[in-house]
Amino acid sequence: MIPLTEARAYIIERCPAPVPIQVDLTDARGLVLAASVSSPEDVPPFANTAMDGFALRAADTVGAPVDLEVAGTVAAGVDPIAEGITVAAGTASRIMTGAPMPPGADAVVMVERTEDIGDDRIRIEVEVPVGNHVRHPGEDLAVGDEAFPAGTTLGPGHLGVLASIGIERVPVWRRLRVGVMSTGDELAEGAGQLARGQIRDANRPSLLGLLGEMGIEPVDLGWVPDDEDAIAQTLVDGVAACDALLTSGGVSMGDFDYVKVVLDRIGDMRWMQVAIKPAKPLAFGLVDDVPVFGLPGNPVSSMVSFELFARPALRAMGGHTELDRRRVLAVVDGGLSRRPDGKVHFARVRTAVVDGRFRVVSAGGQGSHHLTAMAAADGLAVLPDGDGIADGEEVEVILLS
Ligand code: AMP
Ligand code: MG
């Protein structure tokens, strides 16, 4: 058996580097900037008001309340210069949020601090300083400022900023396409009656879902029987169409584990026994330079193996610099028991924050076939070799969401 850290490092080292491309902003969510982006424009582009109210000269409000003559209205989208609106001493322009400041004005009084006294006159009830409620050009971003550095994962806020500076195409690391195939003669397709000995394919939906959650394009390569030619064909087609492949099942020591046989023939594979539970067996290698992850068949094992190996490797391939999930220390409620066996165990747990502290409780059955507990879990508690963690003791937890 090899330690988890060794298997993880071996895999990440052999994965290809990310590929830089340009994409439309509308396709960029979740991708990572491949180069820094500087602002070609000031944001906001012109001085404007943050409030509905009156644009005026701050000096005219000294000794408020004061009455001013109303000179014109500036709505958002209107150019006061083109409209001939200027604010002279003793006057104020009605102005709406986002509208440009008219020439002559240096402050805004919000409408709630004024009273319409008729005859195109307005009573200003408060004294305001120069710049009151005025947003200045370039206040958020000035021309030439770095909006975001390379390595930024583009979330909704980033897309908004990039749109606000007129950027339609962004330099990013290409979104990955990753194929998933299931193997095993025992797998039944569809919802029909199961014959004795058959089970339904749980791994493909889980793995496709895990990929989708990461912002990767999942490619369903379907189910393949325990047949060497069929497995070889699906693998060859898969590597031609995808940036990486995930297989599940057929990589252990059984007589019909043909995935192992085929991958050894067409790929450059390493078969590992990792000192962890679940997910001890793992195959990783390259087929036509495309990374192939041979994940174990048991449903919980395939998901845990994905979390520990495929996820960080695929994040590296997608240009992310933070590869791993967050880890926190949590207090165990009810204890998490295990037996010494030379392996690190990953217990499926549910987390809660109570009085500002993380707490975890077992999510249910801890067998590698107990997929319901895996589905209910939002954390993997890291149990070092030994007898487990007693009730009330602390444990390190990988947060799954
Ligand atoms: P194997 O590695 O092929 O020996 O599979 C180990 C265990 O995982 C067996 O109990 C298989 O039936 C089960 N298994 C393999 N593939 C899947 C799958 N796609 N969905 C659910 N269980 C599976
Ligand atoms: Mg099998």
Side-chain angles (χ1 to χ4, degrees):
M1 289 195 295
I2 59 172
L4 170 67
T5 47
E6 183 186 327
R8 181 184 175 285
Y10 176 87
I11 290 168
I12 290 172
E13 245 169 56
R14 278 159 188 79
C15 281
V19 180
I21 56 161
Q22 298 265 337
V23 296
D24 286 346
L25 196 54
T26 47
D27 297 324
R29 189 172 67 84
L31 297 178
V32 180
L33 277 184
S36 91
V37 175
S38 299
S39 182
E41 298 176 354
D42 279 339
V43 183
F46 49 83
N48 68 93
T49 173
M51 290 288 171
D52 294 320
F54 289 85
L56 41 63
R57 297 177 177 223
D60 282 349
T61 67
V62 174
V66 295
D67 297 346
L68 302 177
E69 187 187 323
V70 178
T73 297
V74 195
V78 163
D79 174 5
I81 296 173
E83 299 293 315
I85 300 172
T86 58
V87 171
T91 72
S93 294
R94 212 175 283 280
I95 193 165
M96 310 304 150
T97 304
M101 291 293 286
D106 59 16
V108 169
V109 174
M110 64 199 282
V111 70
E112 291 87 340
R113 299 279 177 274
T114 67
E115 186 191 342
D116 192 337
I117 53 173
D119 291 334
D120 281 339
R121 294 183 71 75
I122 189 79
R123 177 156 300 158
I124 307 296
E125 294 166 346
V126 288
E127 225 175 276
V128 294
V130 169
N132 196 56
H133 296 318
V134 178
R135 303 160 169 168
H136 299 285
E139 200 182 285
D140 191 14
L141 272 177
V143 178
D145 279 357
E146 181 178 75
F148 305 116
T152 303
T153 302
L154 298 173
H158 303 101
L159 301 185
V161 169
L162 293 168
S164 79
I165 55 178
I167 289 185
E168 293 180 314
R169 303 269 295 165
V170 276
V172 291
W173 302 114
R174 189 164 58 74
R175 192 184 298 283
L176 302 177
R177 284 166 56 82
V178 175
V180 179
M181 68 184 261
S182 294
T183 67
D185 281 345
E186 72 276 32
L187 298 183
E189 292 230 86
Q193 183 74 36
L194 290 177
R196 202 188 305 274
Q198 281 192 315
I199 58 164
R200 301 186 202 280
D201 183 353
N203 296 354
R204 216 162 9 120
S206 301
L207 294 171
L208 290 167
L210 285 166
L211 291 168
E213 253 183 12
M214 288 178 64
I216 286 174
E217 187 185 334
V219 179
D220 187 351
L221 300 175
W223 159 79
V224 190
D226 288 320
D227 172 89
E228 283 195 42
D229 291 341
I231 292 169
Q233 193 59 54
T234 305
L235 286 169
V236 167
D237 292 346
V239 296
C242 300
D243 298 297
L245 294 192
L246 309 175
T247 71
S248 71
V251 299
S252 1
M253 301 297 183
D255 282 350
F256 305 101
D257 287 335
Y258 292 127
V259 178
K260 188 173 189 330
V261 176
V262 175
L263 281 174
D264 265 336
R265 195 174 74 223
I266 66 173
D268 174 16
M269 304 299 296
R270 177 169 173 194
W271 302 89
M272 294 173 262
Q273 299 291 320
V274 189
I276 57 174
K277 186 180 177 180
K280 182 174 73 148
L282 172 68
F284 174 79
L286 301 176
V287 176
D288 291 342
D289 295 328
V290 173
V292 176
F293 296 84
L295 307 178
N298 274 306
V300 176
S301 308
S302 72
M303 288 187 77
V304 170
S305 193
F306 179 94
E307 278 297 333
L308 299 178
F309 304 109
R311 191 173 186 282
L314 294 172
R315 277 182 67 83
M317 287 174 65
H320 291 271
T321 46
E322 215 178 279
L323 304 186
D324 292 303
R325 301 268 202 189
R326 301 235 161 118
R327 290 181 180 225
V328 295
L329 276 182
V331 177
V332 176
D333 284 324
L336 291 168
S337 63
R338 54 156 295 171
R339 296 260 71 91
D341 59 4
K343 300 181 207 163
V344 177
H345 290 200
F346 292 90
R348 278 70 75 197
V349 294
R350 282 187 290 115
T351 71
V353 178
V354 181
D355 295 333
R357 293 218 59 188
F358 271 100
R359 304 192 76 94
V360 292
V361 62
S362 169
Q366 296 292 335
S368 60
H369 57 298
H370 288 138
L371 190 53
T372 310
M374 179 73 198
D378 61 358
L380 293 175
V382 185
L383 310 182
D385 197 16
D387 291 311
I389 311 287
D391 178 50
E393 298 287 303
E394 275 192 332
V395 69
E396 191 179 24
V397 178
I398 300 171
L399 298 178
L400 295 178
S401 57

